[in-house]
mmCIF file of all heavy atoms in Angstrom:
data_model
loop_
_atom_site.group_PDB
_atom_site.id
_atom_site.type_symbol
_atom_site.label_atom_id
_atom_site.label_comp_id
_atom_site.label_asym_id
_atom_site.label_seq_id
_atom_site.Cartn_x
_atom_site.Cartn_y
_atom_site.Cartn_z
ATOM 1 N N ASP P 1 13.562 -1.684 -2.044
ATOM 2 C CA ASP P 1 13.620 -0.213 -1.989
ATOM 3 C C ASP P 1 12.556 0.514 -2.804
ATOM 4 O O ASP P 1 12.761 1.668 -3.199
ATOM 5 C CB ASP P 1 15.009 0.287 -2.401
ATOM 6 C CG ASP P 1 16.095 -0.197 -1.450
ATOM 7 O OD1 ASP P 1 15.836 -0.222 -0.237
ATOM 8 O OD2 ASP P 1 17.186 -0.554 -1.927
ATOM 9 N N ILE P 2 11.423 -0.134 -3.052
ATOM 10 C CA ILE P 2 10.288 0.589 -3.633
ATOM 11 C C ILE P 2 9.612 1.339 -2.495
ATOM 12 O O ILE P 2 9.248 0.735 -1.474
ATOM 13 C CB ILE P 2 9.289 -0.364 -4.318
ATOM 14 C CG1 ILE P 2 10.007 -1.188 -5.395
ATOM 15 C CG2 ILE P 2 8.124 0.415 -4.913
ATOM 16 C CD1 ILE P 2 10.612 -0.389 -6.512
ATOM 17 N N LYS P 3 9.409 2.648 -2.660
ATOM 18 C CA LYS P 3 8.915 3.495 -1.574
ATOM 19 C C LYS P 3 7.450 3.900 -1.739
ATOM 20 O O LYS P 3 6.816 4.337 -0.767
ATOM 21 C CB LYS P 3 9.759 4.764 -1.471
ATOM 22 C CG LYS P 3 11.258 4.521 -1.322
ATOM 23 C CD LYS P 3 11.586 3.826 -0.023
ATOM 24 C CE LYS P 3 13.100 3.722 0.163
ATOM 25 N NZ LYS P 3 13.456 2.942 1.378
ATOM 26 N N THR P 4 6.927 3.790 -2.954
ATOM 27 C CA THR P 4 5.541 4.188 -3.222
ATOM 28 C C THR P 4 4.826 3.047 -3.923
ATOM 29 O O THR P 4 5.374 2.429 -4.838
ATOM 30 C CB THR P 4 5.482 5.447 -4.102
ATOM 31 O OG1 THR P 4 6.184 6.512 -3.447
ATOM 32 C CG2 THR P 4 4.035 5.883 -4.336
ATOM 33 N N PHE P 5 3.590 2.797 -3.493
ATOM 34 C CA PHE P 5 2.790 1.721 -4.047
ATOM 35 C C PHE P 5 1.481 2.291 -4.580
ATOM 36 O O PHE P 5 1.056 3.378 -4.199
ATOM 37 C CB PHE P 5 2.514 0.661 -2.980
ATOM 38 C CG PHE P 5 3.757 -0.044 -2.519
ATOM 39 C CD1 PHE P 5 4.646 0.577 -1.641
ATOM 40 C CD2 PHE P 5 4.062 -1.316 -2.973
ATOM 41 C CE1 PHE P 5 5.807 -0.058 -1.228
ATOM 42 C CE2 PHE P 5 5.218 -1.958 -2.568
ATOM 43 C CZ PHE P 5 6.088 -1.331 -1.699
ATOM 44 N N ALA P 6 0.827 1.545 -5.468
ATOM 45 C CA ALA P 6 -0.415 2.024 -6.057
ATOM 46 C C ALA P 6 -1.412 0.887 -6.187
ATOM 47 O O ALA P 6 -1.054 -0.241 -6.549
ATOM 48 C CB ALA P 6 -0.155 2.660 -7.425
ATOM 49 N N VAL P 7 -2.671 1.198 -5.900
ATOM 50 C CA VAL P 7 -3.779 0.262 -6.066
ATOM 51 C C VAL P 7 -4.945 1.013 -6.700
ATOM 52 O O VAL P 7 -4.940 2.248 -6.774
ATOM 53 C CB VAL P 7 -4.228 -0.354 -4.724
ATOM 54 C CG1 VAL P 7 -3.142 -1.236 -4.142
ATOM 55 C CG2 VAL P 7 -4.623 0.732 -3.728
ATOM 56 N N THR P 8 -5.948 0.279 -7.139
ATOM 57 C CA THR P 8 -7.150 0.920 -7.676
ATOM 58 C C THR P 8 -8.348 0.737 -6.760
ATOM 59 O O THR P 8 -9.280 1.544 -6.786
ATOM 60 C CB THR P 8 -7.501 0.356 -9.066
ATOM 61 O OG1 THR P 8 -7.628 -1.062 -8.983
ATOM 62 C CG2 THR P 8 -6.432 0.719 -10.083
ATOM 63 N N GLU P 9 -8.343 -0.319 -5.946
ATOM 64 C CA GLU P 9 -9.481 -0.625 -5.085
ATOM 65 C C GLU P 9 -9.199 -0.183 -3.645
ATOM 66 O O GLU P 9 -8.159 -0.517 -3.083
ATOM 67 C CB GLU P 9 -9.781 -2.131 -5.102
ATOM 68 C CG GLU P 9 -10.030 -2.704 -6.487
ATOM 69 C CD GLU P 9 -11.216 -2.063 -7.172
ATOM 70 O OE1 GLU P 9 -12.248 -1.847 -6.496
ATOM 71 O OE2 GLU P 9 -11.116 -1.769 -8.378
ATOM 72 N N VAL P 10 -10.151 0.529 -3.055
ATOM 73 C CA VAL P 10 -9.951 0.971 -1.667
ATOM 74 C C VAL P 10 -9.911 -0.216 -0.712
ATOM 75 O O VAL P 10 -9.313 -0.135 0.372
ATOM 76 C CB VAL P 10 -11.037 1.978 -1.238
ATOM 77 C CG1 VAL P 10 -10.921 3.266 -2.039
ATOM 78 C CG2 VAL P 10 -12.440 1.383 -1.370
ATOM 79 N N ASP P 11 -10.519 -1.345 -1.102
ATOM 80 C CA ASP P 11 -10.498 -2.532 -0.249
ATOM 81 C C ASP P 11 -9.094 -3.108 -0.099
ATOM 82 O O ASP P 11 -8.838 -3.890 0.825
ATOM 83 C CB ASP P 11 -11.419 -3.616 -0.818
ATOM 84 C CG ASP P 11 -12.895 -3.250 -0.696
ATOM 85 O OD1 ASP P 11 -13.207 -2.338 0.103
ATOM 86 O OD2 ASP P 11 -13.722 -3.861 -1.384
ATOM 87 N N ASP P 12 -8.182 -2.741 -0.974
ATOM 88 C CA ASP P 12 -6.808 -3.245 -0.908
ATOM 89 C C ASP P 12 -5.940 -2.467 0.080
ATOM 90 O O ASP P 12 -4.843 -2.922 0.436
ATOM 91 C CB ASP P 12 -6.145 -3.175 -2.293
ATOM 92 C CG ASP P 12 -6.676 -4.227 -3.249
ATOM 93 O OD1 ASP P 12 -7.193 -5.251 -2.772
ATOM 94 O OD2 ASP P 12 -6.569 -4.019 -4.472
ATOM 95 N N ILE P 13 -6.412 -1.304 0.502
ATOM 96 C CA ILE P 13 -5.569 -0.413 1.303
ATOM 97 C C ILE P 13 -5.155 -1.048 2.619
ATOM 98 O O ILE P 13 -3.970 -1.041 2.985
ATOM 99 C CB ILE P 13 -6.288 0.928 1.551
ATOM 100 C CG1 ILE P 13 -6.452 1.684 0.230
ATOM 101 C CG2 ILE P 13 -5.511 1.773 2.563
ATOM 102 C CD1 ILE P 13 -7.318 2.928 0.341
ATOM 103 N N ALA P 14 -6.113 -1.602 3.366
ATOM 104 C CA ALA P 14 -5.806 -2.157 4.688
ATOM 105 C C ALA P 14 -4.798 -3.293 4.585
ATOM 106 O O ALA P 14 -3.839 -3.368 5.371
ATOM 107 C CB ALA P 14 -7.087 -2.643 5.359
ATOM 108 N N GLU P 15 -4.986 -4.189 3.613
ATOM 109 C CA GLU P 15 -4.081 -5.319 3.435
ATOM 110 C C GLU P 15 -2.685 -4.842 3.059
ATOM 111 O O GLU P 15 -1.680 -5.365 3.545
ATOM 112 C CB GLU P 15 -4.646 -6.245 2.351
ATOM 113 C CG GLU P 15 -4.001 -7.606 2.305
ATOM 114 C CD GLU P 15 -4.732 -8.567 1.387
ATOM 115 O OE1 GLU P 15 -5.533 -8.105 0.547
ATOM 116 O OE2 GLU P 15 -4.487 -9.780 1.499
ATOM 117 N N LEU P 16 -2.617 -3.827 2.214
ATOM 118 C CA LEU P 16 -1.329 -3.293 1.798
ATOM 119 C C LEU P 16 -0.620 -2.597 2.953
ATOM 120 O O LEU P 16 0.600 -2.742 3.125
ATOM 121 C CB LEU P 16 -1.524 -2.331 0.625
ATOM 122 C CG LEU P 16 -0.282 -1.713 -0.010
ATOM 123 C CD1 LEU P 16 0.703 -2.784 -0.450
ATOM 124 C CD2 LEU P 16 -0.674 -0.822 -1.192
ATOM 125 N N ARG P 17 -1.373 -1.867 3.770
ATOM 126 C CA ARG P 17 -0.789 -1.179 4.926
ATOM 127 C C ARG P 17 -0.109 -2.160 5.880
ATOM 128 O O ARG P 17 0.921 -1.858 6.488
ATOM 129 C CB ARG P 17 -1.864 -0.398 5.675
ATOM 130 C CG ARG P 17 -2.094 1.002 5.143
ATOM 131 C CD ARG P 17 -1.097 1.989 5.737
ATOM 132 N NE ARG P 17 -1.256 3.303 5.123
ATOM 133 C CZ ARG P 17 -0.390 3.863 4.298
ATOM 134 N NH1 ARG P 17 0.724 3.233 3.972
ATOM 135 N NH2 ARG P 17 -0.606 5.055 3.794
ATOM 136 N N GLU P 18 -0.691 -3.358 6.019
ATOM 137 C CA GLU P 18 -0.107 -4.369 6.904
ATOM 138 C C GLU P 18 1.323 -4.707 6.490
ATOM 139 O O GLU P 18 2.157 -5.043 7.329
ATOM 140 C CB GLU P 18 -0.949 -5.650 6.870
ATOM 141 C CG GLU P 18 -2.307 -5.533 7.537
ATOM 142 C CD GLU P 18 -3.078 -6.838 7.450
ATOM 143 O OE1 GLU P 18 -2.443 -7.896 7.249
ATOM 144 O OE2 GLU P 18 -4.314 -6.802 7.574
ATOM 145 N N VAL P 19 1.592 -4.612 5.208
ATOM 146 C CA VAL P 19 2.887 -5.032 4.673
ATOM 147 C C VAL P 19 3.874 -3.882 4.586
ATOM 148 O O VAL P 19 5.046 -4.019 4.954
ATOM 149 C CB VAL P 19 2.714 -5.669 3.279
ATOM 150 C CG1 VAL P 19 4.063 -6.046 2.681
ATOM 151 C CG2 VAL P 19 1.806 -6.885 3.355
ATOM 152 N N ILE P 20 3.422 -2.730 4.106
ATOM 153 C CA ILE P 20 4.363 -1.638 3.810
ATOM 154 C C ILE P 20 4.412 -0.564 4.886
ATOM 155 O O ILE P 20 5.196 0.388 4.782
ATOM 156 C CB ILE P 20 4.047 -0.988 2.450
ATOM 157 C CG1 ILE P 20 2.710 -0.219 2.495
ATOM 158 C CG2 ILE P 20 4.029 -2.026 1.339
ATOM 159 C CD1 ILE P 20 2.488 0.684 1.314
ATOM 160 N N GLY P 21 3.579 -0.703 5.903
ATOM 161 C CA GLY P 21 3.603 0.275 6.984
ATOM 162 C C GLY P 21 3.218 1.665 6.521
ATOM 163 O O GLY P 21 2.188 1.860 5.872
ATOM 164 N N SER P 22 4.068 2.640 6.811
ATOM 165 C CA SER P 22 3.743 4.038 6.529
ATOM 166 C C SER P 22 4.176 4.515 5.145
ATOM 167 O O SER P 22 4.039 5.701 4.829
ATOM 168 C CB SER P 22 4.393 4.936 7.592
ATOM 169 O OG SER P 22 5.807 4.793 7.565
ATOM 170 N N LEU P 23 4.693 3.618 4.327
ATOM 171 C CA LEU P 23 5.085 4.028 2.971
ATOM 172 C C LEU P 23 3.859 4.523 2.202
ATOM 173 O O LEU P 23 2.720 4.199 2.528
ATOM 174 C CB LEU P 23 5.744 2.853 2.233
ATOM 175 C CG LEU P 23 7.091 2.374 2.777
ATOM 176 C CD1 LEU P 23 7.583 1.169 1.994
ATOM 177 C CD2 LEU P 23 8.125 3.499 2.728
ATOM 178 N N ASP P 24 4.100 5.288 1.151
ATOM 179 C CA ASP P 24 3.005 5.935 0.425
ATOM 180 C C ASP P 24 2.183 4.955 -0.407
ATOM 181 O O ASP P 24 2.723 4.043 -1.043
ATOM 182 C CB ASP P 24 3.558 7.020 -0.504
ATOM 183 C CG ASP P 24 3.919 8.292 0.242
ATOM 184 O OD1 ASP P 24 3.387 8.493 1.347
ATOM 185 O OD2 ASP P 24 4.735 9.079 -0.275
ATOM 186 N N ILE P 25 0.864 5.187 -0.404
ATOM 187 C CA ILE P 25 -0.066 4.449 -1.259
ATOM 188 C C ILE P 25 -0.833 5.447 -2.110
ATOM 189 O O ILE P 25 -1.522 6.321 -1.587
ATOM 190 C CB ILE P 25 -1.081 3.629 -0.437
ATOM 191 C CG1 ILE P 25 -0.374 2.592 0.437
ATOM 192 C CG2 ILE P 25 -2.090 2.957 -1.366
ATOM 193 C CD1 ILE P 25 -1.316 1.830 1.365
#
C-alpha cells in the first residue's frame, strides 16, 4: 500500500513505471 515513490535519476523512471503503473513518482 505504498502509493508514492521517489527516485533521483531520470533513467529509473521507465523501469519504475513498469512496476507501479500510474502511481506517483
Side-chain angles (χ1 to χ4, degrees):
D1 297 321
I2 303 298
K3 305 295 186 185
T4 302
F5 295 77
V7 294
T8 55
E9 304 299 318
V10 294
D11 290 343
D12 287 337
I13 294 172
E15 194 171 17
L16 183 55
R17 273 276 175 250
E18 290 180 21
V19 177
I20 68 167
S22 61
L23 293 177
D24 282 339
I25 299 175

